[in-house]
Amino acid sequence: MRLEKIVNFNRYPIHEPNSSIIKKLVKKCKQELDQFSCSTIPGFILPKSLKIMNEELEKQIHQVYMSKESINPYLNSKDEPLLNKDHPKRIFSKRDNGYLNSDLFKKDSEMKYLYEQDELLKFVSACVGISPIYRWADPLACHAYNIMKPGGVLPWHFDSCEFTLSIMLQKPEQGGIFEYCPDIRESGNEKFEEVKKVLNGNRERVRQLELEPGDLQIFKGRFALHRVTKVEGNRSRYLAIPAFVLDPWRVNTPEHSRAIYGKVLPIHHERNVKRSDGLID
Ligand SMILES: [Fe+2]
């Protein structure tokens, strides 16, 4: 079984969801996700598998799309001049960040394989306490590798998928710290005033998380504002970002896909409809 060479089954036997170890872990993750929108599982990926993922990325590093476009928290780069000048939709920050898009992954990719296993899907579903959840239909974004080179930043934003996993592949020498504000918006309520406070530097709601290589983070990225601080030193930060969603049909908007992943496919136009949760993408 290939999965047992990827996930540390000794510590985390996700193929045995009814085992007491997993039941206990799921309970802990759910509590953390309910309280902080975020939970971390240390050493989830085995070192050998981690090495394979790093090699996969480095082999295709020339195909990474680096996006340096300034974006607002809704991952949009278009201004809306009719809104007040200090509206969060009009606050744009510098972004310097890249993706190896999911459609470029080789057929036998380690990351792609892990993403497609029902054991992982069911485990995440149990941790977030929602069933069913689905793999993301977006062919570019569903299990991309994220790259932040020295000097790179990822400004405050919300994800368009509901549940984002992050697996740290390679840590930078310094910086590249994940910061997040749990539950800042909810379905039908953007809470622009709260978002504005954070964008203006208020730290009251901000939490920090330091991931080590092999750690798995489960995160409610659609509802928690988050960012990654500047990567310092000479080593790039590599992260795998497999994502799960509530709607198996929806994909990124064409504008989002263009700005972040560097291209738009027919599926992004065909499925460009208003979101059922009423939140801005
Ligand atoms: Fe994000």
Side-chain angles (χ1 to χ4, degrees), residues 75 99 154-155 157-161 164 178 219 221 224 226-228 241:
L75 296 172
Y99 281 106
L154 181 60
H157 70 278
F158 295 102
D159 293 341
S160 61
C161 52
T164 315
F178 182 76
F219 178 60
H226 56 286
R227 74 168 177 182
V228 180
I241 314 189

Side-chain angles (χ1 to χ4, degrees), residues 5 20 32 46 62 120 126 128 134 148 164 169 201 225 230 243:
K5 294 192 170 133
S20 61
E32 290 175 353
L46 291 166
H62 59 285
L120 182 71
V128 298
Y134 302 93
M148 288 175 74
T164 315
L169 302 183
L225 192 65
K230 192 174 178 177

Side-chain angles (χ1 to χ4, degrees), residues 211-223:
L211 283 178
E212 295 299 324
D215 291 357
L216 169 71
Q217 174 199 2
I218 306 175
F219 178 60
K220 293 185 187 173
R222 185 152 179 77
F223 310 102

